[in-house]
Amino acid sequence: MDVEQGNKEIAISQKWPCLSQFFAKVKSAFLGFLKKIKKIAMDDPRRMIHAIKVGLTLTLVSTLYYVTPLFDGFGESSMWAVLTVVVVMEYTAGGTLCKGLNRAFATVIAGSLGVGAHHIAALCGQKGEAILLALFVFLLAASATFSRFIPEVKARYDYGVTIFILTFSLVAVSSYRVDELVQMAHQRVSTIAIGVATCLCTSLFVFPIWAGEDLHKMVASNLDKLASFLEGIGTECFGEKANFESLEGKPFLQVYKSVLNSKATEDSLCNFAKWEPCHGNFSFRHPWKQYQNVGGLIRQCAASMDALSSYLTSFSKTKPKFKADAELRLEIQTACREMSSESANALRELSLAIRSMTVPSLARCHVSAATSAAANLRTVLSNDITVWETVHVAMVASLLAELVNFTEEIACSVDELAELAQFKSTDSVHSAAVKPVLEEETPQQVAIDISS
Amino acid sequence: MDVEQGNKEIAISQKWPCLSQFFAKVKSAFLGFLKKIKKIAMDDPRRMIHAIKVGLTLTLVSTLYYVTPLFDGFGESSMWAVLTVVVVMEYTAGGTLCKGLNRAFATVIAGSLGVGAHHIAALCGQKGEAILLALFVFLLAASATFSRFIPEVKARYDYGVTIFILTFSLVAVSSYRVDELVQMAHQRVSTIAIGVATCLCTSLFVFPIWAGEDLHKMVASNLDKLASFLEGIGTECFGEKANFESLEGKPFLQVYKSVLNSKATEDSLCNFAKWEPCHGNFSFRHPWKQYQNVGGLIRQCAASMDALSSYLTSFSKTKPKFKADAELRLEIQTACREMSSESANALRELSLAIRSMTVPSLARCHVSAATSAAANLRTVLSNDITVWETVHVAMVASLLAELVNFTEEIACSVDELAELAQFKSTDSVHSAAVKPVLEEETPQQVAIDISS
């Protein structure tokens, strides 16, 4: 059978080679896509729950259309409930609360203002009304749009401002055509309220996904990542079988990288967490702001790790072989092992303390052990005043040399940009200027370097 | 007169002290608010232009209501034009294009699917139709919501998916009540098209704000910031009047900080820039992705600067006085001056090249001067093999000590969190365990440090 089928396939592929190739490609692309989808769902099963919740909420509010008595009550306004659900449902409970409450309040305020604008404009006759309404809409839309550039408004009420402009414009402008404005406004506000309420119910009571909990866990897991880096440094660089030569490609040198770009997620989670009611171990006034402070320090620490990591990698490429001054080297090595392992322990303790929401009592001991190791190292180094000073100046020089490397990389990258974007060549313009610079500058630098 | 008025004010403040205080507070808050608004407007006058443009576009599309022949043509559907303008108008032309095209295509596709769903469901009788429509809405909403977790979809089509769900639900659900579904769909699509077209016209033709141009300028100005830092290092640390003691609080040590968090803005600008048509010197297929590559390197460089800057600051606090080995010090100092000034020049050249869109021909010379200075330094240091090795090991140790400092800061910050969030105390649980750890661990460490 298999042979026969194989022959058939060969026959097909000989007849339509392009077609069979095409199907093979489609098949592999489809399988790859399925694999990707599966991975996304497996990485965090709450994503599937969220998708089901959105479908459910939408089906729920659409009963406003299917059930005749309900539809008779709300009429065409029922669509506002559907619209509200689609735009308000967010992944986290805090996100839905933020958007839902923004939408509800903005609708009520802007709706009232719109009705007010209608009454004022109605005093000016048919033509005057249109002009006055247009003016109101222009002024309000322009000033509300400008208010979105105020950082505080942008952070917490951006969506509310959009809805404010939307509702005011819709109410004010339709008031020109609709006779029973108050009834229309009433219907819309009720359906929007129904939409928001349904969203809040599914968000808060059906498998709720709390932004606060995610933020809490994220900070703890970021601490763990920093700890893993330090543990790696401790064993790979200063452990008993330490070996600087084979550092490149080690996973622990990459583990902190995701921490560096965690600010945006952290900020949005923190913003949403502030809207959430008390849940689990978190009260309504939980100090979410402090998580941002801790997160900021964590990112600074990760940036320092980045510097250390790139220094270690470039250093390990030089295949160092230590021979001289074995005693000093041993002292430094021991101190480094102490510093890295104790700091790692402290960070693990802190992470554990956050996870279990207990006071981090043991972390203090580890931190003081690490700082005392650092202080000892300073004493050891400063005993030999020449070494001490040289180390400091050379350290700055090494960090600067690192910057020189980056400058070179940036220059290459900009060159690539210039090529891709077809930047103009300056050869024709500067041809007279380039040579003298080369002649004057480079020898001068060489001269300085040699004389120094 | 002044005296009289002063007396009056005093009399008032004596009569109603609270009231006058209250008014003074309100006045100062209002003035502060005005000042803030003025600053936001002055920082980037395009913000005011954008606000006026939004007001204008909204007023323009609302003529669909005011002009009777137009209103007779579109009826209640006119509100979709207003709604579209409010949600589609973005600050940059690329943003508006992205949202507008997403909205237009999603509406057409989802609308057709909705009409199709209606025809299938209509085959099953009144009750069956409602059930089948609800099922369709549930399945489509759930799967579309899930698709937003795919990174590629999230990045470019997030808004389109929202509109897709919205339109499909609205069309499918209203089809249950509306008899002339095709006419309704036609009216809605036309008004949405009018809304999108109006937005695009004002965005692209009235003082357009290009995301691509902003991205281009942002990368160039970030390069300038890095250059300023290096220039500052060159003069303040290695110049003729160099003085390590007074580094704290110098502005050049802060200038690169804003670069560290530029990723989110850069990504969104790049995403919008890809939608923009050719404008100024930028073609439609301008290599925007390469700006992200350059930006990534710039941020890595800024992270290294952060490490250098925090090292310099903590070092300057120890009030160093250089005495020993003046010759070596001078050599290192000269090399450092070379490295920082040449790198700064290279970065300035690169920034200039990007701004003027010319090939950065001079940057190469500066980069090679900087790298040769770095190479020279390496030679100088490696001449004395003891110093060379000590420097390397001590350098790692110093960077680690930096991490220890950060760990301490993080520990303090988590302590604060524990206090604010009233974490449980573990004293009762661990009281037996804490003491032995203190007794066993700390002396051991001290023992190691002394013996080493």
Side-chain angles (χ1 to χ4, degrees), chain A residues 311 342 359 376 392 424 445, chain B residues 311 342 359 392 424 449:
Chain A
Y311 182 77
E342 289 297 335
V359 175
N376 272 318
H392 272 298
K424 294 185 292 283
Q445 285 148 5
Chain B
Y311 183 76
E342 289 298 334
V359 175
H392 272 299
K424 294 184 292 280
D449 285 334

